[in-house]
Protein backbone atom coordinates (compact mmCIF):
# COMPACT_ATOMS: atom_id res chain seq x y z
CA UNK A 1 0.00 0.00 0.00
CA UNK A 2 1.32 3.43 -0.94
CA UNK A 3 0.70 6.04 1.76
CA UNK A 4 1.59 9.73 1.74
CA UNK A 5 2.40 11.84 4.78
CA UNK A 6 2.44 15.62 4.51
CA UNK A 7 4.37 17.81 6.93
CA UNK A 8 5.60 21.37 6.58
CA UNK A 9 9.04 20.54 8.01
CA UNK A 10 11.20 17.61 6.90
CA UNK A 11 12.55 17.24 10.46
CA UNK A 12 9.11 15.91 11.48
CA UNK A 13 9.98 12.55 9.95
CA UNK A 14 12.20 11.82 12.97
CA UNK A 15 9.62 12.91 15.53
CA UNK A 16 6.70 10.67 16.49
CA UNK A 17 5.95 10.16 12.78
CA UNK A 18 8.99 7.90 12.86
CA UNK A 19 7.27 5.55 15.31
CA UNK A 20 4.08 5.58 13.23
CA UNK A 21 6.03 4.68 10.06
CA UNK A 22 7.59 1.68 11.82
CA UNK A 23 4.19 0.51 13.10
CA UNK A 24 2.79 0.69 9.55
CA UNK A 25 5.68 -1.39 8.26
CA UNK A 26 5.18 -3.99 11.01
CA UNK A 27 1.55 -4.40 9.97
CA UNK A 28 2.02 -4.29 6.19
CA UNK A 29 5.22 -5.55 4.56
CA UNK A 30 4.20 -4.01 1.23
CA UNK A 31 3.85 -0.54 2.78
CA UNK A 32 5.59 2.29 0.93
CA UNK A 33 5.78 5.82 2.32
CA UNK A 34 5.96 9.00 0.29
CA UNK A 35 6.87 11.80 2.70
CA UNK A 36 5.81 15.14 1.22
CA UNK A 37 7.40 18.16 2.86
CA UNK A 38 7.92 21.82 2.15
CA UNK A 39 10.80 23.05 4.32
CA UNK A 40 14.14 21.29 4.30
CA UNK A 41 14.92 22.50 7.83
CA UNK A 42 17.32 19.70 8.76
CA UNK A 43 18.90 16.55 7.39
CA UNK A 44 16.74 13.56 8.41
CA UNK A 45 18.20 10.43 9.93
CA UNK A 46 17.00 7.86 7.39
CA UNK A 47 19.18 5.16 8.95
CA UNK A 48 16.38 4.69 11.47
CA UNK A 49 14.13 3.38 8.67
CA UNK A 50 16.20 0.39 7.63
CA UNK A 51 14.16 -1.99 5.47
CA UNK A 52 11.36 0.55 4.93
CA UNK A 53 10.65 1.91 1.45
CA UNK A 54 10.59 5.69 1.91
CA UNK A 55 10.61 8.38 -0.77
CA UNK A 56 11.07 12.02 0.21
CA UNK A 57 9.06 14.39 -1.98
CA UNK A 58 9.91 18.09 -1.80
CA UNK A 59 7.02 20.43 -2.60
CA UNK A 60 8.72 22.86 -4.96
CA UNK A 61 5.60 24.44 -6.40
CA UNK A 62 2.33 25.08 -4.59
CA UNK A 63 0.07 23.92 -7.37
CA UNK A 64 -3.00 21.69 -7.64
CA UNK A 65 -1.78 20.10 -10.87
CA UNK A 66 1.73 19.38 -9.60
CA UNK A 67 0.60 17.78 -6.34
CA UNK A 68 -2.35 15.96 -7.92
CA UNK A 69 -0.10 14.52 -10.64
CA UNK A 70 2.42 13.44 -8.00
CA UNK A 71 -0.25 11.64 -5.95
CA UNK A 72 -1.43 9.82 -9.09
CA UNK A 73 2.09 9.00 -10.28
CA UNK A 74 2.98 7.53 -6.87
CA UNK A 75 -0.36 5.64 -6.72
CA UNK A 76 -1.20 7.10 -3.32
CA UNK A 77 -4.22 5.51 -1.63
CA UNK A 78 -4.01 7.35 1.73
CA UNK A 79 -2.93 10.85 2.71
CA UNK A 80 -2.12 11.42 6.39
CA UNK A 81 -1.75 14.92 7.85
CA UNK A 82 -1.00 15.87 11.44
CA UNK A 83 -2.73 19.23 11.81
CA UNK A 84 -5.30 21.46 10.15
CA UNK A 85 -3.06 24.36 9.14
CA UNK A 86 -3.42 26.26 5.87
CA UNK A 87 -0.87 24.06 3.99
CA UNK A 88 -2.47 20.84 5.33
CA UNK A 89 -5.90 22.00 4.21
CA UNK A 90 -4.63 22.60 0.68
CA UNK A 91 -3.08 19.13 0.50
CA UNK A 92 -6.29 17.57 1.81
CA UNK A 93 -8.40 19.45 -0.75
CA UNK A 94 -6.13 18.25 -3.57
CA UNK A 95 -6.20 14.66 -2.31
CA UNK A 96 -9.99 14.64 -2.03
CA UNK A 97 -10.27 15.90 -5.62
CA UNK A 98 -7.98 12.99 -6.56
CA UNK A 99 -10.16 10.41 -4.71
CA UNK A 100 -7.47 9.71 -2.10
CA UNK A 101 -8.63 8.73 1.41
CA UNK A 102 -7.59 11.51 3.82
CA UNK A 103 -6.83 11.07 7.52
CA UNK A 104 -5.75 13.54 10.19
CA UNK A 105 -3.91 12.24 13.23
CA UNK A 106 -4.08 14.48 16.29
CA UNK A 107 -0.51 15.40 17.17
CA UNK A 108 -1.01 17.65 20.17
CA UNK A 109 -3.46 19.93 21.93
CA UNK A 110 -5.47 21.86 19.38
CA UNK A 111 -6.60 24.91 21.24
CA UNK A 112 -8.55 27.96 20.02
CA UNK A 113 -6.00 30.39 21.41
CA UNK A 114 -3.18 29.12 19.17
CA UNK A 115 -3.05 32.43 17.34
CA UNK A 116 0.09 33.83 15.75
CA UNK A 117 1.22 37.40 16.13
CA UNK A 118 0.82 39.22 12.83
CA UNK A 119 4.42 40.42 13.23
CA UNK A 120 5.55 36.83 12.71
CA UNK A 121 4.28 36.96 9.14
CA UNK A 122 5.50 40.52 8.56
CA UNK A 123 9.01 39.66 9.76
CA UNK A 124 9.06 36.40 7.81
CA UNK A 125 8.31 37.50 4.28
CA UNK A 126 8.97 34.02 2.87
CA UNK A 127 6.44 32.39 5.19
CA UNK A 128 3.85 35.07 4.46
CA UNK A 129 4.33 34.58 0.72
CA UNK A 130 3.99 30.80 1.04
CA UNK A 131 0.77 31.07 3.00
CA UNK A 132 -0.56 33.54 0.47
CA UNK A 133 0.13 31.03 -2.31
CA UNK A 134 -1.60 28.26 -0.38
CA UNK A 135 -4.62 30.50 0.12
CA UNK A 136 -4.78 31.48 -3.54
CA UNK A 137 -4.42 27.90 -4.75
CA UNK A 138 -6.99 26.57 -2.27
CA UNK A 139 -9.47 29.29 -3.23
CA UNK A 140 -8.94 28.53 -6.91
CA UNK A 141 -9.39 24.80 -6.35
CA UNK A 142 -12.62 25.34 -4.39
CA UNK A 143 -13.95 28.04 -6.75
CA UNK A 144 -13.86 30.71 -4.03
CA UNK A 145 -13.18 34.42 -4.25
CA UNK A 146 -9.42 34.61 -3.52
CA UNK A 147 -9.54 37.88 -1.56
CA UNK A 148 -12.52 36.85 0.57
CA UNK A 149 -10.95 33.45 1.27
CA UNK A 150 -7.67 35.11 2.31
CA UNK A 151 -9.39 37.59 4.64
CA UNK A 152 -11.35 34.78 6.29
CA UNK A 153 -8.16 32.79 6.94
CA UNK A 154 -6.47 35.85 8.43
CA UNK A 155 -9.44 36.37 10.74
CA UNK A 156 -9.32 32.71 11.86
CA UNK A 157 -5.56 32.16 12.25
CA UNK A 158 -4.40 35.55 13.49
CA UNK A 159 -7.44 37.03 15.23
CA UNK A 160 -9.12 33.83 16.44
CA UNK A 161 -12.52 34.18 14.73
CA UNK A 162 -14.73 31.07 14.73
CA UNK A 163 -15.14 29.38 11.35
CA UNK A 164 -18.91 29.14 11.80
CA UNK A 165 -19.22 32.89 12.30
CA UNK A 166 -17.49 33.43 8.95
CA UNK A 167 -19.62 30.79 7.21
CA UNK A 168 -16.58 28.77 6.15
CA UNK A 169 -17.49 25.42 4.59
CA UNK A 170 -14.95 23.24 6.39
CA UNK A 171 -16.15 20.06 4.65
CA UNK A 172 -14.11 20.92 1.56
CA UNK A 173 -10.80 20.94 3.46
CA UNK A 174 -11.65 18.48 6.25
CA UNK A 175 -10.14 15.01 6.14
CA UNK A 176 -12.37 11.96 5.73
CA UNK A 177 -11.37 10.69 9.18
CA UNK A 178 -9.72 12.01 12.35
CA UNK A 179 -7.75 9.88 14.82
CA UNK A 180 -8.10 11.50 18.25
CA UNK A 181 -6.62 11.01 21.71
CA UNK A 182 -9.83 10.71 23.73
CA UNK A 183 -13.58 11.25 23.85
CA UNK A 184 -13.24 14.96 24.65
CA UNK A 185 -11.54 15.63 21.32
CA UNK A 186 -14.48 14.31 19.33
CA UNK A 187 -16.62 17.16 20.61
CA UNK A 188 -13.77 19.61 20.09
CA UNK A 189 -13.28 18.64 16.43
CA UNK A 190 -17.04 18.75 15.92
CA UNK A 191 -17.37 22.24 17.41
CA UNK A 192 -14.19 23.71 15.94
CA UNK A 193 -14.00 22.12 12.49
CA UNK A 194 -17.37 20.47 11.88
CA UNK A 195 -16.26 16.82 11.90
CA UNK A 196 -19.03 14.30 12.50
CA UNK A 197 -18.61 12.05 15.54
CA UNK A 198 -18.71 8.84 13.49
CA UNK A 199 -15.74 10.04 11.43
CA UNK A 200 -13.56 10.31 14.53
CA UNK A 201 -11.79 7.31 16.06
CA UNK A 202 -10.02 7.15 19.42
CA UNK A 203 -6.42 5.89 19.34
CA UNK A 204 -5.12 7.22 22.68
CA UNK A 205 -2.27 9.62 23.38
CA UNK A 206 1.01 8.60 21.63
CA UNK A 207 2.96 10.02 24.59
CA UNK A 208 1.37 7.37 26.80
CA UNK A 209 3.07 4.27 25.38
CA UNK A 210 4.47 2.26 28.31
CA UNK A 211 3.11 4.84 30.74
CA UNK A 212 2.07 2.30 33.40
CA UNK A 213 5.64 1.04 33.92
CA UNK A 214 6.75 4.07 35.97
CA UNK A 215 8.31 3.24 39.36
CA UNK A 216 7.25 6.02 41.74
CA UNK A 217 9.71 4.91 44.43
CA UNK A 218 12.54 6.11 42.17
CA UNK A 219 11.27 9.68 42.03
CA UNK A 220 14.11 11.92 43.23
CA UNK A 221 13.34 14.49 45.91
CA UNK A 222 14.01 18.21 45.45
CA UNK A 223 13.57 17.98 41.69
CA UNK A 224 11.58 20.28 39.43
CA UNK A 225 11.10 19.66 35.72
CA UNK A 226 10.17 22.41 33.29
CA UNK A 227 8.11 21.19 30.31
CA UNK A 228 8.72 23.66 27.51
CA UNK A 229 6.78 24.79 24.47
CA UNK A 230 7.86 26.60 21.31
CA UNK A 231 5.98 29.78 22.19
CA UNK A 232 8.80 32.12 21.20
CA UNK A 233 9.89 29.99 18.25
CA UNK A 234 6.35 30.01 16.82
CA UNK A 235 5.82 33.73 17.35
CA UNK A 236 3.20 33.40 20.09
CA UNK A 237 5.21 35.00 22.91
CA UNK A 238 7.82 37.75 23.03
CA UNK A 239 11.39 36.68 23.71
CA UNK A 240 11.71 39.35 26.41
CA UNK A 241 8.85 37.91 28.49
CA UNK A 242 10.08 34.34 28.11
CA UNK A 243 13.64 35.20 29.17
CA UNK A 244 12.28 36.98 32.23
CA UNK A 245 10.36 33.82 33.12
CA UNK A 246 13.51 31.68 32.72
CA UNK A 247 15.49 34.03 34.97
CA UNK A 248 12.72 33.78 37.57
CA UNK A 249 12.81 29.99 37.25
CA UNK A 250 16.56 30.03 37.88
CA UNK A 251 16.10 32.20 40.98
CA UNK A 252 13.33 29.88 42.23
CA UNK A 253 15.57 26.81 41.94
CA UNK A 254 18.43 28.50 43.83
CA UNK A 255 16.16 29.85 46.58
CA UNK A 256 14.58 26.41 47.18
CA UNK A 257 17.65 24.25 46.53
CA UNK A 258 15.94 22.51 43.61
CA UNK A 259 17.61 20.36 40.99
CA UNK A 260 16.19 21.62 37.69
CA UNK A 261 15.39 19.31 34.80
CA UNK A 262 14.20 20.31 31.34
CA UNK A 263 11.96 18.54 28.84
CA UNK A 264 12.35 20.60 25.69
CA UNK A 265 10.29 20.44 22.52
CA UNK A 266 12.11 18.90 19.52
CA UNK A 267 12.09 22.37 17.93
CA UNK A 268 13.13 24.29 21.04
CA UNK A 269 15.79 26.95 20.43
CA UNK A 270 18.61 26.05 22.83
CA UNK A 271 20.08 29.53 22.59
CA UNK A 272 17.15 30.77 24.70
CA UNK A 273 18.28 28.57 27.60
CA UNK A 274 22.06 28.19 27.49
CA UNK A 275 23.10 31.57 28.92
CA UNK A 276 20.79 31.25 31.92
CA UNK A 277 21.28 27.49 32.48
CA UNK A 278 24.83 26.67 31.33
CA UNK A 279 25.16 23.52 33.50
CA UNK A 280 21.70 21.98 33.24
CA UNK A 281 20.81 18.97 31.08
CA UNK A 282 18.20 19.43 28.36
CA UNK A 283 16.19 16.40 27.24
CA UNK A 284 14.33 16.51 23.92
CA UNK A 285 13.27 12.87 23.96
CA UNK A 286 12.09 11.46 27.28
CA UNK A 287 10.10 13.12 30.06
CA UNK A 288 12.40 13.16 33.12
CA UNK A 289 11.02 11.71 36.34
CA UNK A 290 10.60 14.52 38.85
CA UNK A 291 8.99 15.33 42.19
CA UNK A 292 7.24 18.36 40.67
CA UNK A 293 6.58 19.75 37.20
CA UNK A 294 6.11 23.27 35.90
CA UNK A 295 4.79 24.38 32.52
CA UNK A 296 2.09 26.19 30.57
CA UNK A 297 -0.27 24.07 28.42
CA UNK A 298 1.92 21.54 26.60
CA UNK A 299 0.30 18.20 25.76
CA UNK A 300 3.12 16.56 27.73
CA UNK A 301 1.77 18.03 30.96
CA UNK A 302 -0.95 15.39 30.74
CA UNK A 303 1.76 12.75 30.97
CA UNK A 304 3.24 14.26 34.13
CA UNK A 305 0.23 13.18 36.21
CA UNK A 306 1.46 9.57 35.93
CA UNK A 307 4.70 10.68 37.66
CA UNK A 308 3.56 13.25 40.19
CA UNK A 309 0.57 15.15 41.56
CA UNK A 310 2.64 18.33 41.97
CA UNK A 311 1.92 20.38 38.85
CA UNK A 312 2.49 24.14 38.65
CA UNK A 313 0.95 26.06 35.74
CA UNK A 314 2.50 29.35 34.67
CA UNK A 315 0.46 32.11 33.05
CA UNK A 316 1.73 34.31 30.25
CA UNK A 317 -0.18 37.44 29.14
CA UNK A 318 -2.83 36.61 26.53
CA UNK A 319 -2.40 32.83 26.87
CA UNK A 320 -5.37 30.81 28.06
CA UNK A 321 -4.74 27.49 29.83
CA UNK A 322 -7.49 25.02 28.87
CA UNK A 323 -9.64 23.12 31.34
CA UNK A 324 -8.13 19.72 30.53
CA UNK A 325 -4.78 21.00 31.84
CA UNK A 326 -6.12 23.17 34.69
CA UNK A 327 -7.97 20.09 35.96
CA UNK A 328 -4.74 18.72 37.45
CA UNK A 329 -2.93 21.83 38.67
CA UNK A 330 -1.56 22.11 42.21
CA UNK A 331 -0.88 25.81 41.87
CA UNK A 332 -1.12 28.51 39.23
CA UNK A 333 1.15 31.52 39.11
CA UNK A 334 2.06 34.44 36.83
CA UNK A 335 5.38 34.15 35.01
CA UNK A 336 6.86 37.11 36.94
CA UNK A 337 5.73 35.94 40.40
CA UNK A 338 7.48 32.58 40.81
CA UNK A 339 8.82 33.78 44.18
CA UNK A 340 5.30 33.11 45.52
CA UNK A 341 6.03 29.36 45.23
CA UNK A 342 8.53 29.19 48.11
CA UNK A 343 5.99 28.01 50.72
CA UNK A 344 4.62 25.42 48.28
CA UNK A 345 8.04 23.83 47.79
CA UNK A 346 8.80 23.89 51.51
CA UNK A 347 5.63 21.84 52.02
CA UNK A 348 5.72 19.32 49.17
CA UNK A 349 9.41 18.44 48.98
CA UNK A 350 9.36 16.71 52.35
CA UNK A 351 6.45 14.47 51.32
CA UNK A 352 6.49 11.33 49.19
CA UNK A 353 4.47 11.06 45.99
CA UNK A 354 1.04 9.60 46.82
CA UNK A 355 0.12 6.71 44.53
CA UNK A 356 -3.56 6.93 45.49
CA UNK A 357 -3.69 10.59 44.45
CA UNK A 358 -1.98 9.75 41.15
CA UNK A 359 -4.47 6.93 40.52
CA UNK A 360 -7.38 9.33 41.09
CA UNK A 361 -5.87 11.82 38.65
CA UNK A 362 -5.33 9.14 36.02
CA UNK A 363 -8.97 8.10 36.32
CA UNK A 364 -10.11 11.71 35.91
CA UNK A 365 -8.03 12.28 32.78
CA UNK A 366 -9.40 9.31 30.79
CA UNK A 367 -12.07 11.48 29.15
CA UNK A 368 -9.38 13.71 27.67
CA UNK A 369 -6.49 11.29 27.08
CA UNK A 370 -7.42 7.61 26.86
CA UNK A 371 -4.62 5.66 28.55
CA UNK A 372 -6.30 2.25 28.19
CA UNK A 373 -4.79 1.75 24.71
CA UNK A 374 -1.36 0.18 25.22
CA UNK A 375 0.20 1.30 21.93
CA UNK A 376 -1.63 4.32 20.44
CA UNK A 377 0.51 4.57 17.29
CA UNK A 378 0.01 0.88 16.53
CA UNK A 379 -3.73 1.54 16.88
CA UNK A 380 -3.36 4.53 14.53
CA UNK A 381 -1.48 2.40 11.99
CA UNK A 382 -4.24 -0.20 12.00
CA UNK A 383 -6.88 2.48 11.35
CA UNK A 384 -4.86 4.06 8.54
CA UNK A 385 -4.51 0.72 6.75
CA UNK A 386 -8.17 -0.27 7.16
CA UNK A 387 -10.09 2.98 6.59
CA UNK A 388 -11.64 3.54 3.17
Amino acid sequence: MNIAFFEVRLSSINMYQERLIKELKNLDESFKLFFYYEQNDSKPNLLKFKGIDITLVKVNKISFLEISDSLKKNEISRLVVFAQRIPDSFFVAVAKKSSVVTIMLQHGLYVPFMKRKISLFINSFTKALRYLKYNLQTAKLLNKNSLVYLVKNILVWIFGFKRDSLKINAEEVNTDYVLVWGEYWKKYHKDEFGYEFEKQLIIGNPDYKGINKINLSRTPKNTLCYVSQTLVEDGRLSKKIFLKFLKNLKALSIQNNLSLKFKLHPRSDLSLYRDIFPQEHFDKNDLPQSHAYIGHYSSLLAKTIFNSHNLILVDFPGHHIPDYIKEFQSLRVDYDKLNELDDFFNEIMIKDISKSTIDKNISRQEYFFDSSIENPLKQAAKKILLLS
Side-chain angles (χ1 to χ4, degrees):
M1 180 181 290
N2 293 4
I3 297 176
F5 283 10
F6 171 71
E7 268 288 4
V8 172
R9 300 177 180 87
L10 178 55
S11 59
S12 298
I13 197 170
N14 287 126
M15 295 185 189
Y16 86 83
Q17 287 84 341
E18 177 184 315
R19 291 157 51 200
L20 177 59
I21 292 167
K22 291 176 179 177
E23 294 292 353
L24 285 164
K25 179 63 177 178
N26 290 338
L27 293 171
D28 182 1
E29 282 293 323
S30 68
F31 159 67
K32 293 182 181 180
L33 176 71
F34 293 81
F35 193 92
Y36 288 79
Y37 68 97
E38 186 191 301
Q39 299 175 22
N40 192 1
D41 61 325
S42 68
K43 186 176 181 180
N45 185 358
L46 297 181
L47 294 176
K48 293 190 175 183
F49 301 104
K50 188 176 180 180
I52 303 176
D53 192 341
I54 295 181
T55 302
L56 301 180
V57 185
K58 175 80 165 63
V59 178
N60 293 311
K61 185 178 181 181
I62 302 170
S63 157
F64 165 73
L65 287 176
E66 181 163 305
I67 295 171
S68 179
D69 287 347
S70 179
L71 295 176
K72 291 174 184 176
K73 175 187 172 184
N74 295 325
E75 300 179 342
I76 301 300
S77 62
R78 308 277 192 280
L79 169 71
V80 182
V81 296
F82 302 88
Q84 191 134 344
R85 301 159 296 194
I86 292 171
D88 303 284
S89 295
F90 174 65
F91 251 80
V92 168
V94 173
K96 291 177 82 166
K97 290 283 186 180
S98 305
S99 301
V100 173
V101 176
T102 55
I103 302 163
M104 180 168 68
L105 198 160
Q106 181 179 350
H107 83 289
L109 303 183
Y110 305 129
V111 285
F113 53 90
M114 293 276 278
K115 298 179 288 184
R116 268 57 172 174
K117 293 178 180 294
I118 196 167
S119 60
L120 175 68
F121 297 94
I122 295 172
N123 296 332
S124 178
F125 178 75
T126 303
K127 180 171 184 175
L129 187 60
R130 276 194 354 260
Y131 273 58
L132 176 60
K133 288 181 179 178
Y134 276 116
N135 269 283
L136 293 175
Q137 285 294 313
T138 306
K140 182 180 178 181
L141 178 60
L142 302 178
N143 295 316
K144 306 289 185 184
N145 180 289
S146 299
L147 180 59
V148 173
Y149 194 77
L150 173 62
V151 170
K152 285 184 177 182
N153 270 304
I154 289 173
L155 291 174
V156 169
W157 292 103
I158 296 179
F159 297 102
F161 276 63
K162 292 288 186 181
R163 290 166 177 81
D164 283 349
S165 69
L166 299 173
K167 297 181 180 179
I168 294 176
N169 182 7
E171 177 63 28
E172 297 169 312
V173 294
N174 278 358
T175 53
D176 298 312
Y177 302 96
V178 188
L179 306 182
V180 299
W181 290 5
E183 194 66 39
Y184 168 85
W185 297 100
K186 287 186 175 183
K187 183 178 185 303
Y188 175 82
H189 283 88
K190 169 70 172 175
D191 294 344
E192 192 71 17
F193 299 109
Y195 285 101
E196 297 300 328
F197 290 118
E198 61 268 21
K199 295 296 183 179
Q200 301 184 58
L201 306 165
I202 295 174
I203 60 161
N205 184 340
D207 290 329
Y208 281 8
K209 184 181 179 183
I211 195 73
N212 295 315
K213 298 177 182 178
I214 295 168
N215 187 343
L216 295 176
S217 65
R218 295 179 182 176
T219 302
K221 290 283 184 68
N222 286 78
T223 52
L224 174 65
C225 178
Y226 171 56
V227 180
S228 78
Q229 290 173 247
T230 52
L231 300 177
V232 176
E233 293 87 340
D234 291 342
R236 289 181 276 133
L237 183 71
S238 78
K239 183 177 179 179
K240 181 180 178 180
I241 288 178
F242 185 66
L243 291 179
K244 185 174 182 179
F245 159 71
L246 290 181
K247 290 174 183 176
N248 291 337
L249 183 61
K250 178 77 170 183
L252 176 73
S253 68
I254 294 172
Q255 176 67 26
N256 292 277
N257 194 28
L258 300 172
S259 174
L260 268 181
K261 302 183 178 186
F262 290 82
K263 172 59 182 81
L264 299 187
H265 188 278
R267 291 190 291 105
S268 289
D269 180 358
L270 280 172
S271 68
L272 294 170
Y273 301 84
R274 283 297 185 198
D275 289 344
I276 302 173
F277 304 101
Q279 305 298 325
E280 279 76 8
H281 174 70
F282 302 102
D283 198 326
K284 286 192 174 185
N285 297 313
D286 300 320
L287 178 67
Q289 200 160 347
S290 180
H291 199 80
Y293 291 88
I294 187 168
H296 314 290
Y297 48 86
S298 165
S299 61
L300 264 182
L301 290 177
K303 188 175 182 179
T304 68
I305 67 171
F306 289 80
N307 291 11
S308 171
H309 42 73
N310 301 314
L311 175 61
I312 303 158
L313 299 182
V314 178
D315 281 307
F316 284 129
H319 287 251
H320 170 71
I321 298 177
D323 292 340
Y324 44 83
I325 297 297
K326 289 190 294 186
E327 181 84 12
F328 307 100
Q329 69 183 36
S330 303
L331 273 178
R332 191 167 171 182
V333 64
D334 288 336
Y335 79 99
D336 56 351
K337 296 180 181 178
L338 298 192
N339 60 307
E340 296 178 358
L341 296 172
D342 290 349
D343 290 343
F344 173 73
F345 282 111
N346 288 335
E347 179 182 345
I348 69 161
M349 286 304 174
I350 60 174
K351 298 178 181 178
D352 291 330
I353 299 296
S354 167
K355 188 175 186 309
S356 63
T357 302
I358 284 183
D359 287 342
K360 289 177 183 177
N361 285 344
I362 291 172
S363 178
R364 287 162 55 209
Q365 65 85 52
E366 288 298 315
Y367 176 63
F368 304 104
F369 311 104
D370 192 332
S371 63
S372 65
I373 299 170
E374 185 175 342
N375 188 339
L377 289 180
K378 183 176 181 178
Q379 182 77 354
K382 288 179 179 178
K383 302 295 185 187
I384 290 169
L385 293 171
L386 292 174
L387 290 171
S388 61

